mmCIF file of all heavy atoms in Angstrom:
data_model
loop_
_atom_site.group_PDB
_atom_site.id
_atom_site.type_symbol
_atom_site.label_atom_id
_atom_site.label_comp_id
_atom_site.label_asym_id
_atom_site.label_seq_id
_atom_site.Cartn_x
_atom_site.Cartn_y
_atom_site.Cartn_z
ATOM 1 N N LYS Z 25 3.056 33.117 31.950
ATOM 2 C CA LYS Z 25 3.876 31.903 31.848
ATOM 3 C C LYS Z 25 5.322 32.159 31.443
ATOM 4 O O LYS Z 25 6.175 31.331 31.699
ATOM 5 C CB LYS Z 25 3.217 30.906 30.910
ATOM 6 C CG LYS Z 25 3.414 31.199 29.452
ATOM 7 C CD LYS Z 25 4.050 30.020 28.743
ATOM 8 C CE LYS Z 25 4.213 30.344 27.276
ATOM 9 N NZ LYS Z 25 4.946 29.362 26.530
ATOM 10 N N PHE Z 26 5.606 33.283 30.815
ATOM 11 C CA PHE Z 26 6.976 33.512 30.368
ATOM 12 C C PHE Z 26 7.887 34.004 31.492
ATOM 13 O O PHE Z 26 9.078 34.100 31.335
ATOM 14 C CB PHE Z 26 7.007 34.505 29.205
ATOM 15 C CG PHE Z 26 6.386 33.952 27.958
ATOM 16 C CD1 PHE Z 26 5.128 34.371 27.551
ATOM 17 C CD2 PHE Z 26 7.046 32.997 27.197
ATOM 18 C CE1 PHE Z 26 4.548 33.853 26.394
ATOM 19 C CE2 PHE Z 26 6.475 32.473 26.058
ATOM 20 C CZ PHE Z 26 5.224 32.898 25.654
ATOM 21 N N LYS Z 27 7.280 34.338 32.639
ATOM 22 C CA LYS Z 27 8.036 35.018 33.684
ATOM 23 C C LYS Z 27 8.679 34.108 34.707
ATOM 24 O O LYS Z 27 9.579 34.515 35.413
ATOM 25 C CB LYS Z 27 7.073 35.917 34.481
ATOM 26 C CG LYS Z 27 6.680 37.159 33.769
ATOM 27 C CD LYS Z 27 6.049 38.115 34.753
ATOM 28 C CE LYS Z 27 4.542 38.067 34.683
ATOM 29 N NZ LYS Z 27 3.898 39.263 35.221
ATOM 30 N N THR Z 28 8.128 32.910 34.891
ATOM 31 C CA THR Z 28 8.521 32.143 36.072
ATOM 32 C C THR Z 28 8.460 30.637 35.849
ATOM 33 O O THR Z 28 7.739 30.163 34.974
ATOM 34 C CB THR Z 28 7.594 32.518 37.255
ATOM 35 O OG1 THR Z 28 7.989 31.773 38.398
ATOM 36 C CG2 THR Z 28 6.135 32.229 36.953
ATOM 37 N N LEU Z 29 9.200 29.907 36.662
ATOM 38 C CA LEU Z 29 9.094 28.444 36.681
ATOM 39 C C LEU Z 29 8.322 27.992 37.921
ATOM 40 O O LEU Z 29 8.239 26.812 38.211
ATOM 41 C CB LEU Z 29 10.493 27.815 36.702
ATOM 42 C CG LEU Z 29 11.222 27.719 35.360
ATOM 43 C CD1 LEU Z 29 12.619 27.131 35.546
ATOM 44 C CD2 LEU Z 29 10.441 26.857 34.379
ATOM 45 N N ASP Z 30 7.767 28.949 38.661
ATOM 46 C CA ASP Z 30 7.022 28.635 39.873
ATOM 47 C C ASP Z 30 5.579 28.281 39.503
ATOM 48 O O ASP Z 30 4.744 29.155 39.283
ATOM 49 C CB ASP Z 30 7.068 29.856 40.814
ATOM 50 C CG ASP Z 30 6.327 29.590 42.123
ATOM 51 O OD1 ASP Z 30 5.645 28.553 42.233
ATOM 52 O OD2 ASP Z 30 6.431 30.433 43.030
ATOM 53 N N MET Z 31 5.312 26.984 39.418
ATOM 54 C CA MET Z 31 3.995 26.537 38.946
ATOM 55 C C MET Z 31 2.875 26.850 39.932
ATOM 56 O O MET Z 31 1.726 26.982 39.553
ATOM 57 C CB MET Z 31 4.032 25.041 38.629
ATOM 58 C CG MET Z 31 4.963 24.706 37.479
ATOM 59 S SD MET Z 31 4.534 25.571 35.944
ATOM 60 C CE MET Z 31 6.163 25.996 35.354
ATOM 61 N N LYS Z 32 3.211 26.949 41.218
ATOM 62 C CA LYS Z 32 2.198 27.319 42.214
ATOM 63 C C LYS Z 32 1.705 28.742 41.940
ATOM 64 O O LYS Z 32 0.529 29.055 42.104
ATOM 65 C CB LYS Z 32 2.786 27.235 43.631
ATOM 66 C CG LYS Z 32 3.009 25.812 44.094
ATOM 67 C CD LYS Z 32 1.689 25.196 44.618
ATOM 68 C CE LYS Z 32 1.864 23.708 44.863
ATOM 69 N NZ LYS Z 32 0.699 22.908 44.496
ATOM 70 N N GLU Z 33 2.645 29.588 41.508
ATOM 71 C CA GLU Z 33 2.300 30.971 41.175
ATOM 72 C C GLU Z 33 1.387 30.983 39.934
ATOM 73 O O GLU Z 33 0.370 31.675 39.908
ATOM 74 C CB GLU Z 33 3.605 31.764 40.919
ATOM 75 C CG GLU Z 33 3.431 33.249 40.656
ATOM 76 C CD GLU Z 33 2.706 33.985 41.782
ATOM 77 O OE1 GLU Z 33 2.922 33.628 42.956
ATOM 78 O OE2 GLU Z 33 1.911 34.904 41.448
ATOM 79 N N LEU Z 34 1.752 30.194 38.926
ATOM 80 C CA LEU Z 34 0.925 30.112 37.710
ATOM 81 C C LEU Z 34 -0.463 29.555 38.038
ATOM 82 O O LEU Z 34 -1.463 29.988 37.462
ATOM 83 C CB LEU Z 34 1.594 29.236 36.650
ATOM 84 C CG LEU Z 34 2.864 29.769 35.992
ATOM 85 C CD1 LEU Z 34 3.296 28.833 34.860
ATOM 86 C CD2 LEU Z 34 2.662 31.178 35.423
ATOM 87 N N ALA Z 35 -0.513 28.598 38.974
ATOM 88 C CA ALA Z 35 -1.786 27.956 39.324
ATOM 89 C C ALA Z 35 -2.812 28.969 39.844
ATOM 90 O O ALA Z 35 -4.019 28.777 39.690
ATOM 91 C CB ALA Z 35 -1.553 26.854 40.358
ATOM 92 N N LYS Z 36 -2.333 30.080 40.397
ATOM 93 C CA LYS Z 36 -3.257 31.120 40.892
ATOM 94 C C LYS Z 36 -4.033 31.778 39.753
ATOM 95 O O LYS Z 36 -5.030 32.446 39.978
ATOM 96 C CB LYS Z 36 -2.469 32.220 41.619
ATOM 97 C CG LYS Z 36 -1.886 31.783 42.942
ATOM 98 C CD LYS Z 36 -1.147 32.971 43.574
ATOM 99 C CE LYS Z 36 -0.244 32.498 44.692
ATOM 100 N NZ LYS Z 36 0.768 33.504 45.041
ATOM 101 N N HIS Z 37 -3.508 31.652 38.517
ATOM 102 C CA HIS Z 37 -4.139 32.326 37.374
ATOM 103 C C HIS Z 37 -4.781 31.341 36.397
ATOM 104 O O HIS Z 37 -5.185 31.723 35.294
ATOM 105 C CB HIS Z 37 -3.106 33.173 36.641
ATOM 106 C CG HIS Z 37 -2.473 34.202 37.514
ATOM 107 N ND1 HIS Z 37 -3.138 35.345 37.913
ATOM 108 C CD2 HIS Z 37 -1.249 34.256 38.097
ATOM 109 C CE1 HIS Z 37 -2.335 36.062 38.689
ATOM 110 N NE2 HIS Z 37 -1.193 35.436 38.827
ATOM 111 N N VAL Z 38 -4.858 30.067 36.778
ATOM 112 C CA VAL Z 38 -5.357 29.063 35.842
ATOM 113 C C VAL Z 38 -6.825 29.345 35.467
ATOM 114 O O VAL Z 38 -7.623 29.716 36.318
ATOM 115 C CB VAL Z 38 -5.146 27.642 36.441
ATOM 116 C CG1 VAL Z 38 -6.049 27.377 37.623
ATOM 117 C CG2 VAL Z 38 -5.315 26.566 35.391
ATOM 118 N N MET Z 39 -7.129 29.257 34.202
ATOM 119 C CA MET Z 39 -8.472 29.472 33.631
ATOM 120 C C MET Z 39 -9.023 30.888 33.898
ATOM 121 O O MET Z 39 -10.231 31.110 33.753
ATOM 122 C CB MET Z 39 -9.478 28.443 34.167
ATOM 123 C CG MET Z 39 -9.076 27.001 34.015
ATOM 124 S SD MET Z 39 -8.863 26.534 32.306
ATOM 125 C CE MET Z 39 -10.260 25.493 32.062
ATOM 126 N N GLU Z 40 -8.169 31.804 34.259
ATOM 127 C CA GLU Z 40 -8.588 33.133 34.716
ATOM 128 C C GLU Z 40 -9.473 33.896 33.714
ATOM 129 O O GLU Z 40 -10.442 34.544 34.106
ATOM 130 C CB GLU Z 40 -7.317 33.938 34.996
ATOM 131 C CG GLU Z 40 -7.490 35.273 35.628
ATOM 132 C CD GLU Z 40 -6.110 35.887 35.918
ATOM 133 O OE1 GLU Z 40 -5.518 36.489 35.002
ATOM 134 O OE2 GLU Z 40 -5.635 35.741 37.046
ATOM 135 N N ASP Z 41 -9.115 33.810 32.410
ATOM 136 C CA ASP Z 41 -9.890 34.578 31.425
ATOM 137 C C ASP Z 41 -11.280 33.982 31.175
ATOM 138 O O ASP Z 41 -12.157 34.642 30.623
ATOM 139 C CB ASP Z 41 -9.120 34.696 30.098
ATOM 140 C CG ASP Z 41 -7.951 35.683 30.221
ATOM 141 O OD1 ASP Z 41 -7.953 36.486 31.180
ATOM 142 O OD2 ASP Z 41 -7.046 35.653 29.370
ATOM 143 N N LEU Z 42 -11.493 32.722 31.580
ATOM 144 C CA LEU Z 42 -12.823 32.120 31.410
ATOM 145 C C LEU Z 42 -13.644 32.210 32.693
ATOM 146 O O LEU Z 42 -14.858 32.363 32.654
ATOM 147 C CB LEU Z 42 -12.684 30.640 31.007
ATOM 148 C CG LEU Z 42 -12.080 30.363 29.639
ATOM 149 C CD1 LEU Z 42 -11.928 28.861 29.432
ATOM 150 C CD2 LEU Z 42 -12.938 30.952 28.522
ATOM 151 N N ASP Z 43 -12.955 32.065 33.830
ATOM 152 C CA ASP Z 43 -13.625 32.120 35.127
ATOM 153 C C ASP Z 43 -12.640 32.649 36.168
ATOM 154 O O ASP Z 43 -11.832 31.894 36.710
ATOM 155 C CB ASP Z 43 -14.114 30.709 35.507
ATOM 156 C CG ASP Z 43 -14.788 30.685 36.882
ATOM 157 O OD1 ASP Z 43 -14.885 31.757 37.523
ATOM 158 O OD2 ASP Z 43 -15.214 29.591 37.306
ATOM 159 N N PRO Z 44 -12.700 33.960 36.446
ATOM 160 C CA PRO Z 44 -11.716 34.569 37.357
ATOM 161 C C PRO Z 44 -11.715 33.941 38.754
ATOM 162 O O PRO Z 44 -10.732 34.039 39.481
ATOM 163 C CB PRO Z 44 -12.145 36.041 37.424
ATOM 164 C CG PRO Z 44 -13.059 36.252 36.286
ATOM 165 C CD PRO Z 44 -13.671 34.930 35.933
ATOM 166 N N GLU Z 45 -12.800 33.251 39.135
ATOM 167 C CA GLU Z 45 -12.898 32.664 40.476
ATOM 168 C C GLU Z 45 -12.387 31.220 40.523
ATOM 169 O O GLU Z 45 -12.331 30.614 41.601
ATOM 170 C CB GLU Z 45 -14.364 32.681 40.952
ATOM 171 C CG GLU Z 45 -14.969 34.066 41.067
ATOM 172 C CD GLU Z 45 -14.179 34.959 42.026
ATOM 173 O OE1 GLU Z 45 -13.908 34.504 43.154
ATOM 174 O OE2 GLU Z 45 -13.811 36.078 41.626
ATOM 175 N N PHE Z 46 -12.071 30.651 39.343
ATOM 176 C CA PHE Z 46 -11.776 29.215 39.283
ATOM 177 C C PHE Z 46 -10.661 28.788 40.245
ATOM 178 O O PHE Z 46 -10.810 27.821 40.992
ATOM 179 C CB PHE Z 46 -11.417 28.789 37.847
ATOM 180 C CG PHE Z 46 -11.063 27.334 37.726
ATOM 181 C CD1 PHE Z 46 -12.052 26.354 37.743
ATOM 182 C CD2 PHE Z 46 -9.734 26.922 37.639
ATOM 183 C CE1 PHE Z 46 -11.729 25.003 37.659
ATOM 184 C CE2 PHE Z 46 -9.405 25.570 37.554
ATOM 185 C CZ PHE Z 46 -10.406 24.614 37.560
ATOM 186 N N ALA Z 47 -9.550 29.530 40.234
ATOM 187 C CA ALA Z 47 -8.398 29.139 41.065
ATOM 188 C C ALA Z 47 -8.770 29.091 42.546
ATOM 189 O O ALA Z 47 -8.208 28.304 43.308
ATOM 190 C CB ALA Z 47 -7.234 30.088 40.824
ATOM 191 N N LYS Z 48 -9.738 29.924 42.950
ATOM 192 C CA LYS Z 48 -10.172 29.936 44.359
ATOM 193 C C LYS Z 48 -11.123 28.781 44.650
ATOM 194 O O LYS Z 48 -11.126 28.223 45.734
ATOM 195 C CB LYS Z 48 -10.869 31.260 44.678
ATOM 196 C CG LYS Z 48 -9.891 32.405 44.788
ATOM 197 C CD LYS Z 48 -10.588 33.668 45.299
ATOM 198 C CE LYS Z 48 -9.734 34.876 44.972
ATOM 199 N NZ LYS Z 48 -10.464 35.907 44.249
ATOM 200 N N LYS Z 49 -11.952 28.440 43.633
ATOM 201 C CA LYS Z 49 -12.992 27.429 43.841
ATOM 202 C C LYS Z 49 -12.457 26.004 43.820
ATOM 203 O O LYS Z 49 -12.974 25.125 44.490
ATOM 204 C CB LYS Z 49 -14.045 27.526 42.712
ATOM 205 C CG LYS Z 49 -15.003 28.687 42.860
ATOM 206 C CD LYS Z 49 -16.162 28.564 41.878
ATOM 207 C CE LYS Z 49 -15.725 28.599 40.421
ATOM 208 N NZ LYS Z 49 -16.776 28.958 39.476
ATOM 209 N N VAL Z 50 -11.432 25.776 42.985
ATOM 210 C CA VAL Z 50 -11.022 24.402 42.711
ATOM 211 C C VAL Z 50 -10.428 23.738 43.959
ATOM 212 O O VAL Z 50 -9.675 24.348 44.711
ATOM 213 C CB VAL Z 50 -10.053 24.361 41.500
ATOM 214 C CG1 VAL Z 50 -8.731 25.029 41.814
ATOM 215 C CG2 VAL Z 50 -9.844 22.947 41.006
ATOM 216 N N GLN Z 51 -10.832 22.487 44.193
ATOM 217 C CA GLN Z 51 -10.360 21.710 45.345
ATOM 218 C C GLN Z 51 -9.447 20.580 44.860
ATOM 219 O O GLN Z 51 -9.626 20.088 43.743
ATOM 220 C CB GLN Z 51 -11.568 21.080 46.076
ATOM 221 C CG GLN Z 51 -12.551 22.074 46.650
ATOM 222 C CD GLN Z 51 -11.944 22.905 47.775
ATOM 223 O OE1 GLN Z 51 -11.220 22.388 48.620
ATOM 224 N NE2 GLN Z 51 -12.202 24.203 47.764
ATOM 225 N N PRO Z 52 -8.511 20.147 45.688
ATOM 226 C CA PRO Z 52 -7.631 19.045 45.279
ATOM 227 C C PRO Z 52 -8.439 17.826 44.825
ATOM 228 O O PRO Z 52 -9.393 17.430 45.496
ATOM 229 C CB PRO Z 52 -6.841 18.724 46.559
ATOM 230 C CG PRO Z 52 -6.873 19.988 47.353
ATOM 231 C CD PRO Z 52 -8.178 20.655 47.036
ATOM 232 N N GLY Z 53 -8.076 17.299 43.667
ATOM 233 C CA GLY Z 53 -8.750 16.113 43.131
ATOM 234 C C GLY Z 53 -9.886 16.427 42.176
ATOM 235 O O GLY Z 53 -10.428 15.525 41.538
ATOM 236 N N ASP Z 54 -10.269 17.704 42.062
ATOM 237 C CA ASP Z 54 -11.369 18.082 41.157
ATOM 238 C C ASP Z 54 -11.034 17.773 39.692
ATOM 239 O O ASP Z 54 -9.870 17.657 39.324
ATOM 240 C CB ASP Z 54 -11.672 19.582 41.290
ATOM 241 C CG ASP Z 54 -12.521 19.890 42.523
ATOM 242 O OD1 ASP Z 54 -12.833 18.956 43.280
ATOM 243 O OD2 ASP Z 54 -12.860 21.081 42.719
ATOM 244 N N PHE Z 55 -12.097 17.676 38.883
ATOM 245 C CA PHE Z 55 -11.951 17.430 37.437
ATOM 246 C C PHE Z 55 -12.375 18.665 36.648
ATOM 247 O O PHE Z 55 -13.337 19.332 37.010
ATOM 248 C CB PHE Z 55 -12.866 16.280 36.977
ATOM 249 C CG PHE Z 55 -12.560 14.936 37.586
ATOM 250 C CD1 PHE Z 55 -13.554 13.966 37.646
ATOM 251 C CD2 PHE Z 55 -11.294 14.628 38.069
ATOM 252 C CE1 PHE Z 55 -13.295 12.703 38.187
ATOM 253 C CE2 PHE Z 55 -11.022 13.371 38.612
ATOM 254 C CZ PHE Z 55 -12.028 12.412 38.667
ATOM 255 N N VAL Z 56 -11.666 18.907 35.553
ATOM 256 C CA VAL Z 56 -12.135 19.897 34.583
ATOM 257 C C VAL Z 56 -12.829 19.128 33.467
ATOM 258 O O VAL Z 56 -12.300 18.124 32.977
ATOM 259 C CB VAL Z 56 -10.955 20.739 34.034
ATOM 260 C CG1 VAL Z 56 -11.326 21.431 32.735
ATOM 261 C CG2 VAL Z 56 -10.516 21.765 35.078
ATOM 262 N N VAL Z 57 -14.029 19.579 33.102
ATOM 263 C CA VAL Z 57 -14.794 18.927 32.042
ATOM 264 C C VAL Z 57 -15.029 19.948 30.935
ATOM 265 O O VAL Z 57 -15.331 21.112 31.211
ATOM 266 C CB VAL Z 57 -16.148 18.409 32.590
ATOM 267 C CG1 VAL Z 57 -17.003 17.830 31.472
ATOM 268 C CG2 VAL Z 57 -15.911 17.358 33.666
ATOM 269 N N ALA Z 58 -14.853 19.530 29.684
ATOM 270 C CA ALA Z 58 -15.014 20.481 28.581
ATOM 271 C C ALA Z 58 -15.548 19.772 27.346
ATOM 272 O O ALA Z 58 -15.720 18.542 27.348
ATOM 273 C CB ALA Z 58 -13.678 21.149 28.281
ATOM 274 N N GLY Z 59 -15.775 20.566 26.300
ATOM 275 C CA GLY Z 59 -16.315 20.034 25.049
ATOM 276 C C GLY Z 59 -15.204 19.632 24.086
ATOM 277 O O GLY Z 59 -14.257 18.950 24.470
#
Side-chain angles (χ1 to χ4, degrees):
Chain Z
K25 79 123 179 173
F26 292 105
K27 285 195 261 201
T28 180
L29 279 178
D30 181 351
M31 295 302 140
K32 288 279 171 218
E33 184 57 36
L34 291 186
K36 290 181 195 162
H37 302 286
V38 70
M39 307 299 251
E40 187 176 83
D41 286 343
L42 293 176
D43 178 1
E45 299 302 310
F46 178 76
K48 286 188 198 127
K49 284 191 298 201
V50 67
Q51 298 294 318
D54 281 2
F55 297 157
V56 161
V57 175

